[in-house]
Amino acid sequence: MRWLTVTLVTVILALQWPLWFGKGSWLRVWQLDKQLQEQRATTQKLVARNAALDAEVRDLKQGSDAIEERARNELGMIRNGEVFFQLLDPSKPSSPANRR
């Protein structure tokens, strides 16, 4: 009777081994599901970034307001007759070249 019990337990373990530790095991499925969730999160971030870039491109193609805003903010350009005032933030330290 004892050999029957040992044989049945061995057969059950042999049948369960691939389910838990084999190529298509529960552990592997769990790992792949986690990777899938991470990839979906990355994809959603990239879709949002692409949508923002697409909106910016359409805005630049359609109107001059966006181009003017970029020229003012990024290039520091001003129109003829305008006066530009630059306010310095006293809490930010000045660069070493300005401390002479």
Side-chain angles (χ1 to χ4, degrees):
M1 191 62 145
R2 181 170 168 82
W3 64 273
L4 182 61
T5 306
V6 171
T7 305
L8 288 176
V9 168
T10 305
V11 168
I12 289 173
L13 287 176
L15 291 173
Q16 290 289 316
W17 186 264
L19 177 66
W20 294 101
F21 303 108
K23 188 176 181 179
S25 67
W26 288 105
L27 181 61
R28 181 69 178 144
V29 169
W30 179 73
Q31 290 172 344
L32 290 174
D33 189 46
K34 186 176 178 182
Q35 288 178 356
L36 180 63
Q37 289 174 0
E38 291 172 359
Q39 190 65 42
R40 283 183 177 157
T42 303
T43 302
Q44 285 178 344
K45 289 177 188 175
L46 291 174
V47 166
R49 185 181 122 220
N50 286 347
L53 289 173
D54 184 49
E56 186 176 349
V57 167
R58 275 189 274 116
D59 193 28
L60 288 171
K61 284 182 178 179
Q62 291 175 355
S64 61
D65 292 338
I67 296 171
E68 181 179 340
E69 179 184 349
R70 277 203 146 179
R72 288 175 177 272
N73 291 334
E74 295 177 11
L75 302 175
M77 299 179 88
I78 59 173
R79 286 185 177 175
N80 288 335
E82 287 184 336
V83 179
F84 176 72
F85 293 95
Q86 182 177 10
L87 303 176
L88 300 177
D89 189 2
S91 64
K92 291 185 182 179
S94 60
S95 65
N98 295 339
R99 290 189 212 164
R100 294 184 225 186

